[in-house]
Amino acid sequence: MSVTPEDVMAFTKPTERFLCPLSANIYGLDFLSFTIEDYDTKRVIFEVNKENIELPAGFDFSMLDENSYRQIKYDFSADVLRLPRISTVLTFSVGPQPVEKFKMIERHYFRNRLVKNFEFDFGFCIPNSRNTWNAVYDVPALDEDLVAEMMANPYETKSDSFYFVQDKLVMHNKAEYRYTSHSIEAQGKANSENIDWSQAGAKQSDDYDAGAKRGGDSDSSDDEDGRKFSYK
């Protein structure tokens, strides 16, 4: 049974599993770089460029669980939770097929409570193109007690990112977040590398379960460790 944007918007907690296989990305969508900035000060909060990532010598991709490519752990300064407005720049490429009605829905939860929801409509992308999407959006204000709880419980803040083409789910990524008391600048210095590949698990088969589209039937979500990106 297919998952629709309406289904996703009704979820009240993270899904237990991925809701589509990696093979659902028949359009060859590939995210190349992503930057998040504080809109008002232009401070860079997060920046990653796939083309500039350096891997250890002799690194063997076959050792990675396939799902580590789409499950990530992030370290953020808690100051990010207090920003009123954020700007993002996403660069992605498209394969040989045209992409129509390209949409992303991202839902953030803390302990199975929805705290943020974002929707982006990318529209139409021509085949074999490289595209840049700039967005500015307001961040919902969070109560300081909730911020303190999120800081005290690392990686219990989680998100699901769903990507649709013509309302059909083609990609699903997951993330977990740790928020620290460091400033945005200090947190960047505390992170030594952009990617900690030591967190990746052993290779497994493509793991998804359309039955999990209810948004998860238990309080647990996937516990596989994925890539870990540092924040500036």
Side-chain angles (χ1 to χ4, degrees), residues 43-59:
R43 288 181 299 174
V44 176
I45 299 166
F46 169 67
E47 185 173 28
V48 65
N49 189 324
K50 181 178 179 180
E51 296 170 335
N52 293 339
I53 291 175
E54 295 184 7
L55 297 176
F59 184 82

Side-chain angles (χ1 to χ4, degrees), residues 49-218:
N49 189 324
K50 181 178 179 180
E51 296 170 335
N52 293 339
I53 291 175
E54 295 184 7
L55 297 176
F59 184 82
D60 185 2
F61 274 97
S62 67
M63 296 177 62
L64 289 177
D65 176 348
E66 288 182 348
N67 286 325
S68 68
Y69 292 103
R70 52 180 181 167
Q71 183 160 316
I72 303 171
K73 287 188 175 181
Y74 292 119
D75 286 350
F76 262 136
S77 164
D79 290 344
V80 172
L81 296 172
R82 303 181 178 99
L83 296 177
R85 194 175 298 107
I86 283 176
S87 62
T88 63
V89 180
L90 172 66
T91 301
F92 63 96
S93 60
V94 174
Q97 297 187 60
V99 175
E100 299 183 47
K101 294 179 61 180
F102 185 27
K103 172 194 283 286
M104 183 193 81
I105 298 175
E106 185 167 278
R107 292 172 72 79
H108 291 246
Y109 306 87
F110 175 66
R111 290 184 165 179
N112 298 332
R113 168 188 170 185
L114 181 67
V115 293
K116 300 178 187 177
N117 181 79
F118 302 107
E119 287 187 67
F120 301 94
D121 288 304
F122 299 99
F124 176 79
C125 304
I126 64 175
N128 299 312
S129 62
R130 184 184 178 107
N131 306 271
T132 299
W133 178 264
N134 297 272
V136 177
Y137 54 94
D138 295 327
V139 180
L142 300 179
D143 182 271
E144 280 299 318
D145 289 341
L146 177 58
V147 172
E149 270 198 90
M150 293 167 77
M151 292 176 65
N153 296 278
Y155 304 122
E156 290 194 36
T157 304
K158 303 179 181 183
S159 68
D160 282 303
S161 300
F162 305 95
Y163 300 86
F164 296 89
V165 175
Q166 293 183 303
D167 293 337
K168 181 177 181 180
L169 185 65
V170 297
M171 297 174 69
H172 178 194
N173 295 331
K174 287 179 165 290
E176 299 177 354
Y177 304 83
R178 179 173 75 99
Y179 294 100
T180 75
S181 59
H182 300 306
S183 68
I184 290 175
E185 294 81 2
Q187 182 61 54
K189 293 179 181 179
N191 294 312
S192 59
E193 299 290 340
N194 278 344
I195 299 181
D196 180 4
W197 290 97
S198 67
Q199 298 296 317
K203 184 176 180 180
Q204 298 176 359
S205 62
D206 204 9
D207 182 18
Y208 79 101
D209 183 3
K213 64 175 289 186
R214 294 184 298 275
D217 291 327
S218 72

